[in-house]
């Protein structure tokens, strides 16, 4: 039988150098945002959607220089590109060439590429601003309903039901017919854009309001909220310092998913002729004009493809954000 090793003396004493070897290394915690970013980086599909979204935003911001370099003014006619006997674009594929990247429109010869780029800022502007209005109203009423409960929750809940049952498209069409040319310090397309932002944003808040209400009902029962109450914190402090910061992640996720819905609604209004006045280019307006020329697939394809890619990119990015912030959602 082997005798045990002698552990007495200096060999058994703990060496201060070995004990303190890692004392200078700080242990870094990971925030929710950092963890979400790590998850999002692994989702290649969501990252692709996010990259496309960023490119679309850049195209909308720098539409004028892009058109100046690669196209022609979106309202400029090019009758020399039109066959006067058929009123259709000359050449193949709708007149596509190095000068007209996506061809020209029938009858007037306007540059399709320039009109799609110019229409991007209107779609994204209305989509973003309408979403901001929906988030502001929905978050405010959702937090109030979820936190206070009782008759307050009952009244706001029934208000949500009324707005969800409201025939929004019919109301938008009816309202567009009575909107004056001037009002509220705006006129022309500026007034119509403001009207669409208000209609889409004001009537879309219940969807995000219900989500915020449900999250608030869960958060108000958490220990840190009870601790704040026990220390004498008022309702305003608890709402703005304890509950609202913990709602930022779901609000961001569902706002990202709401933007493409609003973009589609704007395109539908423009398609029905109650959006921005022509000849200002919009994707929905271009589709409406293209219906008459169903024999020219490129005239329908490119504005439809712009809407499809935009909505798909936002949805993919929004789904990725949701999975990153809440991997248990599935």
């Amino acid at each position: 039988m082997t005798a045990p090793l002698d552990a007495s003396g200096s060999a058994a004493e703990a060496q201060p150098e070995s004990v303190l070897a890692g004392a200078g290394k700080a242990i870094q915690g990971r925030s929710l945002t950092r963890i979400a970013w790590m998850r999002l980086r692994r989702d290649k599909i969501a990252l692709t959607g996010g990259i496309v979204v960023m490119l679309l935003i850049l195209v909308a911001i720098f539409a004028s220089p892009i058109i100046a370099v690669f196209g022609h003014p979106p309202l400029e006619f090019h009758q020399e590109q039109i066959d006067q006997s058929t009123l259709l674009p000359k050449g193949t594929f709708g007149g596509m060439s190095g000068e007209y990247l996506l061809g020209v429109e029938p009858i007037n010869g306007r540059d399709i590429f320039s009109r799609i780029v110019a229409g991007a800022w209107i779609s994204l502007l209305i989509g973003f601003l309408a979403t901001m209005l929906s988030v502001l109203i929905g978050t405010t009423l959702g937090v109030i309903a979820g936190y206070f409960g009782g008759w307050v929750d009952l009244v706001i809940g029934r208000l949500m039901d009324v707005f969800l049952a409201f025939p929004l498209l019919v109301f938008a069409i009816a309202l567009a017919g009575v909107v004056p040319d001037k009002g509220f310090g705006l006129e022309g397309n500026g007034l119509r854009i403001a009207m669409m932002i208000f209609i889409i944003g004001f009537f879309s808040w219940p969807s995000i309001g219900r989500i915020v209400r449900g999250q608030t009902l869960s958060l108000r029962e958490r220990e840190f909220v009870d601790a704040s109450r026990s220390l004498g914190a008022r309702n305003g402090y608890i709402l703005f310092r304890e509950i609202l910061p913990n709602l930022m992640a779901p609000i961001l996720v569902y706002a990202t998913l709401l933007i493409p819905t609003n973009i589609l609604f704007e395109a539908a209004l423009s398609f029905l002729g109650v959006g921005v006045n022509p000849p200002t280019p919009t994707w929905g307006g271009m589709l409406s004009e293209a219906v008459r020329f169903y024999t020219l697939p490129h005239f329908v394809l490119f504005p439809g493809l712009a809407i499809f890619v935009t909505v798909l990119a936002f949805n993919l990015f929004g789904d990725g954000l949701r999975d990153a912030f809440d991997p248990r959602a599935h």
Side-chain angles (χ1 to χ4, degrees):
M1 186 173 179
T2 306
L5 296 175
D6 183 14
S8 60
S10 59
E13 296 177 0
Q15 301 298 323
E17 292 79 4
S18 61
V19 173
L20 299 177
K25 298 180 181 179
I27 300 176
Q28 295 182 352
R30 293 177 180 177
S31 64
L32 176 61
T33 304
R34 185 175 179 183
I35 295 173
W37 169 241
M38 292 174 63
R39 293 191 188 123
L40 185 62
R41 283 192 306 178
R42 293 194 293 266
D43 191 343
K44 303 303 181 184
I45 296 178
L47 279 182
T48 302
I51 292 172
V52 174
V53 167
M54 293 302 299
L55 290 176
L56 289 169
I57 294 174
L58 291 175
V59 166
I61 294 174
F62 299 104
S64 296
I66 290 174
I67 292 173
V69 174
F70 298 103
H72 302 79
L75 302 182
E76 187 176 272
F77 288 9
H78 299 276
Q79 296 294 341
E80 71 279 1
Q81 301 295 322
I82 301 298
D83 186 342
Q84 297 303 319
S85 60
T86 61
L87 298 181
L88 299 179
K90 295 178 181 178
T92 57
F93 303 107
M96 290 186 190
S97 63
E99 188 176 1
Y100 300 92
L101 299 179
L102 300 181
V104 296
E105 293 183 347
I107 301 178
N108 51 49
R110 291 181 297 199
D111 189 351
I112 293 179
F113 172 80
S114 299
R115 291 181 64 78
I116 289 177
V117 172
W121 81 269
I122 293 180
S123 295
L124 293 179
L125 176 69
I126 294 175
F128 275 100
L129 293 184
T131 300
M132 289 176 62
L133 180 60
S134 297
V135 168
L136 178 63
I137 300 174
T139 300
T140 302
L141 294 182
V143 167
I144 292 174
Y147 181 76
F148 291 101
W151 67 269
V152 176
D153 186 18
L154 180 64
V155 171
I156 295 178
R158 299 295 77 78
L159 186 63
M160 291 180 183
D161 294 336
V162 170
F163 273 81
L164 288 172
F166 201 83
L168 180 55
L169 185 60
V170 176
F171 176 76
I173 294 173
L175 184 61
V178 298
V179 171
D181 293 333
K182 295 182 180 180
F184 308 103
L186 300 171
E187 59 180 339
N189 283 331
L191 181 59
R192 283 192 166 268
I193 290 174
M195 177 199 71
M196 285 194 291
I197 291 172
F198 173 77
I199 292 175
I200 298 173
F202 185 72
F203 288 94
S204 300
W205 67 265
S207 57
I208 195 167
R210 283 187 165 184
I211 294 168
V212 171
R213 172 187 172 274
Q215 295 286 333
T216 304
L217 286 173
S218 175
L219 287 173
R220 74 176 186 178
E221 306 299 332
R222 299 285 291 274
E223 293 80 0
F224 61 88
V225 176
D226 290 336
S228 295
R229 288 198 192 100
S230 65
L231 292 174
R234 297 187 177 184
N235 290 330
Y237 178 90
I238 295 175
L239 286 174
F240 287 101
R241 298 296 297 273
E242 302 290 353
I243 292 181
L244 197 57
N246 288 281
L247 291 173
M248 287 296 105
I251 289 173
L252 175 63
V253 169
Y254 287 100
T256 307
L257 294 172
L258 187 60
I259 291 174
T261 304
N262 293 339
I263 291 176
L264 274 178
F265 195 84
E266 180 276 328
L269 291 179
S270 297
F271 179 82
L272 294 173
V274 294
V276 177
N277 291 322
T280 302
T282 61
W283 293 341
M286 292 179 68
L287 280 177
S288 180
E289 295 175 4
V291 170
R292 297 179 297 162
F293 302 95
Y294 56 88
T295 58
L296 297 175
H298 81 287
F299 195 18
V300 180
L301 174 64
F302 293 123
L305 195 60
I307 297 173
F308 172 76
V309 170
T310 301
V311 172
L312 180 63
F314 272 105
N315 280 328
L316 292 177
F317 185 56
D319 287 340
L321 279 179
R322 180 179 57 194
D323 294 341
F325 280 105
D326 186 10
R328 299 171 298 173
H330 293 295

